Amino acid sequence: MKISTRKLASAAVVGAAYAALTLLLAPISFGLVQFRVSEALCILPAFVPFTAWGLWAGCAIANLAGGYGIPDIVFGSLATLGASLCMAAIAKGRKQPLGLGRAIAVCFMPVVWNGPIVGGVIAYSTGAFWAALPLNSLQIAVEEALVMYVIGLPLLKLLPRSTAFSKAMDELNNR
């Protein structure tokens, strides 16, 4: 797969937006409670798959400022990448806007990936990994579900109805 300069630049812009939004809302983006509004950007690979790599980079950059160190930078970012690649695969070749069932499945991927992985990172930081893992994983999964279903799902369904958005996505995907 050949990646054009335009695609690379678009992925970089998405990554920068993720990092900037996470850092701008740092009080609710880091810590035991992580309501990362920036995670709503994870819907973008459903439209343009290569943005998954921008999200991965943006998450890694944002996690540099977090309090969980190298484990969060590595594993938290990989969770975002895994979720984003799965979202792209679920939406691949489908007419936009996605049907409700497929859209719900797309939005569920960050819940599935971030709950146990980011929950594990937080549990590891407590020093009582096995005792803290279930609750931390559940908490992150619930917070992720709130972001994805309250913000991400409406965006996933409404953005393709915008002529400007659809035109931009078509241009990116066909170059």
Side-chain angles (χ1 to χ4, degrees):
M1 173 175 88
K2 184 179 177 190
I3 297 179
S4 68
T5 304
R6 183 176 289 207
K7 285 182 178 182
L8 185 59
S10 297
V13 167
V14 168
Y18 182 100
L21 192 54
T22 303
L23 295 172
L24 180 68
L25 299 173
I28 62 170
S29 297
F30 298 106
L32 290 176
V33 175
Q34 293 191 10
F35 189 78
R36 280 195 184 183
V37 175
S38 54
E39 283 289 305
L41 294 173
C42 287
I43 64 160
L44 293 175
F47 303 109
V48 280
F50 58 87
T51 58
W53 297 99
L55 290 165
W56 166 73
C59 185
I61 291 166
N63 286 346
L64 287 170
Y68 296 108
I70 298 296
D72 195 30
I73 295 165
V74 173
F75 296 110
S77 304
L78 286 174
T80 295
L81 178 62
S84 297
L85 292 173
C86 286
M87 295 167 89
I90 291 169
K92 185 177 181 177
R94 302 294 177 183
K95 186 177 182 301
Q96 297 289 348
L98 296 173
L100 184 59
R102 194 165 296 275
I104 288 170
V106 163
C107 289
F108 193 58
M109 290 300 101
V111 177
V112 169
W113 283 80
N114 286 327
I117 294 172
V118 175
V121 168
I122 294 171
Y124 177 77
S125 74
T126 67
F129 181 78
W130 293 112
L133 181 62
L135 184 58
N136 286 337
S137 295
L138 178 63
Q139 181 175 338
I140 293 296
V142 167
E143 293 160 1
E144 192 72 33
L146 285 171
V147 171
M148 292 310 300
Y149 291 112
V150 172
I151 302 170
L153 184 61
L155 286 173
L156 187 63
K157 296 295 285 175
L158 294 174
L159 283 175
R161 295 183 179 152
S162 162
T163 305
F165 180 81
S166 294
K167 183 179 177 186
M169 294 306 105
D170 287 344
E171 285 181 18
L172 286 172
N173 284 323
N174 295 324
R175 288 191 180 227

